[in-house]
Amino acid sequence: MDLIVNSLYSNKEVFLRELISNASDALDKLRFLSVTEPELMKDAIDFDIRIQVDKDNGIINITDTGIGMTKQELVDCLGTIAQSGTAKFLKALKDSKDAGGDNNLIGQFGVGFYSAFLVADRVVVSTKSPRSDKQYVWEGEANASSYTISEETDPEKQIPRGTRLTLHLKRDDKGFAHPERIEKLVKNYSQFVSFPIYTWQEKGFTKEVEVDEDPAEAKKDDQDENTEKKKKKTKTVVEKYWDWELINETQPIWLRNPKEVTKEDYNEFYKKTFNEYMEPLASSHFTTEGEVEFRSILYVPAYAPSGKDDIVNPKTKNIRLYVKRVFISDDFDGELFPRYLSFVKGVVDSNDLPLNVSREILQESRIVRIMRKRLVRKAFDMILGISMSDNKEDYEKFWDNFGKHLKLGCIEDRENHKRIAPLLRFFSSQSDEEFISLDEYVENMKPDQKDIYYIAADSVNSAKNTPFLEKLAEKDLEVLFLVDPIDEVAIQNIKSYKEKNFVDISKEDLDLGDKNEEREKEMKQEFSGTIDWIKKRLGDKVASVQISNRLSSSPCVLVSGKFGWSANMERLMKSQTMGDANSFEFMRSRRVFEINPDHHIIKNLDAACKTNPDDQEALRAIDLLYDAALVSSGFTPDNPAQLGGKIYEMMGMALSGKWSSPSQFESTQTQPHVPEIVEAEVVEPTSADSQK
């Protein structure tokens, strides 16, 4: 028995859920059968489930007023493991073509009863069926291979109808025999069972009682003739007693008509179920019918958890799964929601889900995939509703807390790109203080603009001052600023939006729609020698040197290859602890050095190339120009100290003699400082008289 039970169940707590579910089924069976057999209800007894504990002796009693069992049913149902009375009952209904009458029975596997042996070493079942005049007792032990059935003869143990289970707990599990523990388990697993559940609880009320006076004070009062008639002294005490207390709600909020549920009701349920103190940003109450039927309420929280680690941890316990109002699990690993939507909270209740025999694990199946697809769709509808709300602060709050989750969805969920993209928000060259949506960007596009331009940087300030932006700013073309580390990868996965391709303005072959082929041809011919000269000097540092069409005020820029990493991505990959050095070298290998032919520095270098290409100062200027472009384009120099030395050298040349006279500058530069040698003068001593 131990082997069977402990191999089926991973959590001991579920024993109470299983036994309450069995009791609920017994009550449902009686209610259904009484329609055609009214005599079964001859005893006017309420439908309920009652749980009483004896913590001193480690005993739990669970009593229901359901259909009970006859002696033969005891043998059939409890004498054989996995023999499900509920499954037989449903089969009989189906065979009689009345399956539509009632299909709310919970247990259909026949092992729910044996979960009692998770915590008990001996179980006694006392049951009375309205079809029998006798009450029978089934008794079994965990380590025994047999059981006993006898007739109940003790009048004090007689029950009018139903079943009473008595669990004698194991020594290590006697902690379950506490009213507070039982109440907690019922509220967690069986709070929404359709029948009232009562537990035997200790209660108390306050009352005033008289107390004896201190003899010394009484004597003093007697001696005082002016003392008025003294009042009797009392104190407040708590009178304790035991009574039944209802601890479950029989009507789950998700089973009610959404038109009858107020916003306050939804918010109160959210706070109570998920231990939240802030109201949610949005909620969605819906019923799905068809191939898969389930009811659900989903919520978008107002804030992300303080740890903010849910983006990498799909096991957030934010979705509570119920089957026929009985809590099954909240421990999912992406079965119902993808990782990037793990922040969504809610409950899902279905009448028929593919669970394993212990009803703890949701098995992978087509039904689960369909359910997941519909839940994801409803979640997106809810988030879209927040974004379209008149209160923009709500979506700003949502984006600040969960924007990274949606960006992760761009990478992990290609099927829902069309739903995710309208929800994305970015800064731009024309809106560097407020986020804009992709829809707003498309609306602001120029009539002849074909692409959506973006630049990835480490901050908005860096993006605003990048040389790549110069020509686009002149043309008043808006550029998205991707300043979050995940932004660039997210956009590259989406690729396009509303038939507009995303284009990185820091990569080669940028087309701004204003190509002048004749001028480009002239420039290439005019600067062909300079281009070859610069390429020869830079060598393998760059793949090629080209005339730029994206610069207006900067002399040059370093552009990434079309299929390689951008400067921003290269910086991010360098910071990865587990980065691959080989792939890093491969992806960053291609860089294009673009020059601005209209800039005076490039014109001077062009003149140097034509007159004296071997001039060392001109060659050093090329090196410094490359290093400056490396930094301004967002790359990290390989040797920062060497770059600093070049800058100091150029500063020295530029500042020579600017504030000091040429002779002073020349003497400090050419002549070392030699201290002057002065010969000491000898002074003869004189007397004081001679001074007079």
Side-chain angles (χ1 to χ4, degrees):
M1 181 65 70
D2 269 347
L3 178 62
I4 294 174
V5 170
N6 288 290
S7 63
L8 290 178
Y9 296 95
S10 60
N11 184 5
K12 287 186 175 183
E13 289 184 350
V14 300
F15 85 93
L16 191 62
R17 180 195 74 182
E18 297 296 290
L19 298 180
I20 290 177
S21 298
N22 285 349
S24 176
D25 282 352
L27 291 164
D28 260 324
K29 289 180 189 177
L30 178 60
R31 183 171 60 180
F32 183 87
L33 293 172
S34 64
V35 176
T36 55
E37 301 178 57
E39 64 276 7
L40 297 177
M41 299 284 290
K42 59 184 177 180
D43 297 319
I45 304 172
D46 293 336
F47 284 49
D48 59 29
I49 302 168
R50 296 179 183 267
I51 307 172
Q52 189 173 12
V53 300
D54 179 358
K55 60 182 180 181
D56 295 330
N57 297 312
I59 296 175
I60 299 177
N61 289 305
I62 303 172
T63 306
D64 67 73
T65 56
I67 189 64
M69 287 177 281
T70 63
K71 183 176 181 179
Q72 187 59 42
E73 287 171 339
L74 273 177
V75 173
D76 293 340
C77 296
L78 303 190
T80 306
I81 295 177
Q83 178 71 24
S84 173
T86 298
K88 278 188 175 182
F89 184 73
L90 289 176
K91 186 176 184 302
L93 287 179
K94 185 176 181 180
D95 292 343
S96 63
K97 298 181 181 180
D98 288 332
D102 191 342
N103 192 19
N104 285 325
L105 301 178
I106 299 168
Q108 298 177 36
F109 296 103
V111 293
F113 164 74
Y114 289 95
S115 64
F117 289 101
L118 283 169
V119 296
D121 51 19
R122 186 164 70 94
V123 177
V124 179
V125 181
S126 185
T127 182
K128 171 74 165 58
S129 170
R131 292 172 173 169
S132 173
D133 295 331
K134 296 181 179 180
Q135 180 175 329
Y136 293 96
V137 179
W138 181 99
E139 185 171 348
E141 295 185 3
N143 298 323
S145 58
S146 61
Y147 60 89
T148 61
I149 297 179
S150 60
E151 184 179 341
E152 183 61 76
T153 57
D154 188 347
E156 294 183 358
K157 295 182 180 180
Q158 291 288 336
I159 55 177
R161 184 189 69 216
T163 302
R164 179 174 61 238
L165 272 68
T166 302
L167 279 60
H168 297 266
L169 301 179
K170 301 174 184 177
R171 178 181 298 177
D172 295 339
D173 297 314
K174 288 188 177 181
F176 286 105
H178 283 264
E180 295 80 8
R181 185 79 178 273
I182 293 296
E183 181 179 0
K184 181 180 177 182
L185 293 179
V186 171
K187 287 186 175 180
N188 186 43
Y189 290 101
S190 306
Q191 183 180 6
F192 302 109
V193 167
S194 56
F195 296 100
I197 302 174
Y198 295 89
T199 59
W200 190 245
Q201 298 278 1
E202 185 180 33
K203 300 182 179 182
F205 63 91
T206 59
K207 67 176 183 177
E208 299 287 332
V209 297
E210 295 182 9
V211 294
D212 295 334
E213 286 187 314
D214 186 7
E217 292 185 3
K219 185 176 180 182
K220 182 179 179 182
D221 291 340
D222 291 339
Q223 292 174 354
D224 190 354
E225 296 179 356
N226 297 327
T227 303
E228 297 180 0
K229 188 177 181 180
K230 51 186 179 176
K231 298 179 181 179
K232 294 181 179 179
K233 291 192 175 182
T234 61
K235 70 174 181 178
T236 303
V237 296
V238 178
E239 188 78 17
K240 294 185 178 181
Y241 66 100
W242 289 81
D243 197 3
W244 293 106
E245 182 176 351
L246 179 67
I247 58 172
N248 71 318
E249 298 176 12
T250 56
Q251 179 65 16
I253 187 173
W254 61 81
L255 295 181
R256 294 163 58 185
N257 188 337
K259 296 180 180 179
E260 299 174 356
V261 185
T262 65
K263 183 179 180 181
E264 289 72 20
D265 292 335
Y266 287 126
N267 293 346
E268 185 63 29
F269 176 76
Y270 169 77
K271 292 178 182 178
K272 184 177 179 181
T273 305
F274 299 103
N275 295 320
E276 292 282 354
Y277 65 93
M278 297 290 292
E279 294 184 353
L281 285 177
S283 63
S284 177
H285 183 183
F286 59 93
T287 301
T288 301
E289 297 178 348
E291 189 174 4
V292 179
E293 296 185 5
F294 64 90
R295 294 173 180 264
S296 178
I297 300 178
L298 300 179
Y299 294 94
V300 174
Y303 293 98
S306 57
K308 291 191 176 182
D309 60 346
D310 289 349
I311 194 169
V312 294
N313 179 20
K315 292 188 176 183
T316 57
K317 297 186 179 295
N318 285 342
I319 298 298
R320 294 176 61 86
L321 175 65
Y322 292 79
V323 173
K324 298 175 183 175
R325 305 173 308 282
V326 176
F327 174 65
I328 298 300
S329 178
D330 58 3
D331 187 13
F332 299 110
D333 192 5
E335 291 93 343
L336 294 179
F337 271 101
R339 177 171 69 155
Y340 68 94
L341 288 178
S342 59
F343 61 88
V344 176
K345 298 186 178 185
V347 295
V348 179
D349 186 8
S350 176
N351 283 345
D352 188 17
L353 278 182
L355 303 175
N356 69 335
V357 73
S358 67
R359 303 198 304 137
E360 289 180 292
I361 302 170
L362 187 64
Q363 296 175 337
E364 179 63 24
S365 71
R366 190 172 62 89
I367 293 177
V368 176
R369 289 194 293 271
I370 295 173
M371 178 180 287
R372 170 191 166 113
K373 192 172 183 179
R374 293 183 181 177
L375 287 171
V376 169
R377 189 180 305 166
K378 286 293 183 180
F380 278 123
D381 291 344
M382 187 168 49
I383 298 171
L384 184 63
I386 302 174
S387 69
M388 298 177 67
S389 171
D390 294 334
N391 188 356
K392 292 186 177 181
E393 292 181 0
D394 283 348
Y395 197 73
E396 290 175 3
K397 186 188 298 183
F398 168 82
W399 186 253
D400 288 342
N401 285 276
F402 306 111
K404 284 186 174 65
H405 290 72
L406 295 186
K407 294 172 186 176
L408 180 65
C410 298
I411 303 170
E412 295 187 343
D413 191 357
R414 294 192 175 186
E415 293 182 3
N416 285 302
H417 277 178
K418 290 184 178 180
R419 291 188 173 91
I420 298 174
L423 302 173
L424 299 177
R425 298 291 185 270
F426 302 99
F427 292 113
S428 76
S429 57
Q430 298 179 9
S431 178
D432 56 4
E433 293 185 355
E434 293 185 4
F435 288 113
I436 66 165
S437 66
L438 294 179
D439 286 324
E440 291 173 316
Y441 181 97
V442 173
E443 289 177 5
N444 297 333
M445 288 176 65
K446 301 299 178 184
D448 56 345
Q449 185 179 342
K450 298 179 181 179
D451 301 314
I452 299 175
Y453 300 113
Y454 72 87
I455 179 72
D458 59 348
S459 67
V460 172
N461 192 47
S462 297
K464 285 168 60 177
N465 295 288
T466 180
F468 298 108
L469 205 60
E470 293 173 0
K471 189 67 79 172
L472 288 95
E474 283 185 2
K475 293 178 171 292
D476 198 28
L477 295 174
E478 190 170 15
V479 179
L480 296 177
F481 293 163
L482 310 187
V483 295
D484 206 14
I486 197 175
D487 284 352
E488 188 174 359
V489 183
I491 287 296
Q492 288 172 353
N493 275 271
I494 293 181
K495 296 182 180 179
S496 65
Y497 183 71
K498 290 187 176 180
E499 299 181 354
K500 308 286 186 182
N501 293 326
F502 289 100
V503 173
D504 187 349
I505 64 171
S506 70
K507 293 193 173 182
E508 63 178 333
D509 296 335
L510 177 66
D511 182 9
L512 299 179
D514 60 347
K515 280 191 175 183
N516 188 335
E517 294 183 358
E518 291 184 3
R519 185 176 185 278
E520 287 183 5
K521 188 175 181 181
E522 290 177 2
M523 286 294 178
K524 284 182 180 178
Q525 289 178 352
E526 181 180 350
F527 286 88
S528 60
T530 304
I531 289 174
D532 294 339
W533 178 53
I534 294 175
K535 175 65 176 76
K536 182 179 178 181
R537 177 64 178 177
L538 296 179
D540 294 336
K541 292 180 181 179
V542 296
S544 64
V545 179
Q546 299 177 5
I547 301 295
S548 179
N549 66 338
R550 73 186 85 206
L551 298 175
S552 59
S553 60
S554 297
C556 59
V557 73
L558 200 60
V559 178
S560 302
K562 192 170 184 179
F563 301 103
W565 286 336
S566 66
N568 182 68
M569 183 58 66
E570 187 176 309
R571 175 180 58 83
L572 293 174
M573 295 307 294
K574 273 186 177 181
S575 65
Q576 300 298 314
T577 306
M578 305 299 291
D580 183 1
N582 294 328
S583 65
F584 179 81
E585 290 298 326
F586 172 75
M587 294 299 292
R588 79 164 197 164
S589 60
R590 179 174 176 79
R591 292 174 181 172
V592 178
F593 190 67
E594 292 189 359
I595 59 174
N596 180 6
D598 297 326
H599 198 279
H600 65 276
I601 294 179
I602 302 301
K603 289 180 178 179
N604 286 334
L605 287 177
D606 181 53
C609 174
K610 293 175 180 177
T611 58
N612 189 6
D614 296 327
D615 185 85
Q616 291 301 311
E617 289 188 5
L619 295 176
R620 285 201 300 271
I622 293 175
D623 293 338
L624 185 60
L625 203 62
Y626 170 80
D627 289 334
L630 197 70
V631 175
S632 64
S633 302
F635 294 97
T636 304
D638 294 330
N639 193 337
Q642 187 180 37
L643 172 60
K646 293 177 183 178
I647 294 174
Y648 297 149
E649 182 183 357
M650 296 294 287
M651 287 179 64
M653 294 171 60
L655 297 178
S656 61
K658 190 172 182 64
W659 294 287
S660 58
S661 62
S663 59
Q664 289 177 332
F665 179 79
E666 185 177 351
S667 62
T668 56
Q669 291 293 105
T670 58
Q671 296 180 1
H673 175 67
V674 179
E676 184 180 357
I677 302 174
V678 181
E679 187 176 350
E681 181 182 357
V682 179
V683 180
E684 294 292 335
T686 59
S687 63
D689 295 337
S690 64
Q691 291 178 357
K692 294 179 182 180

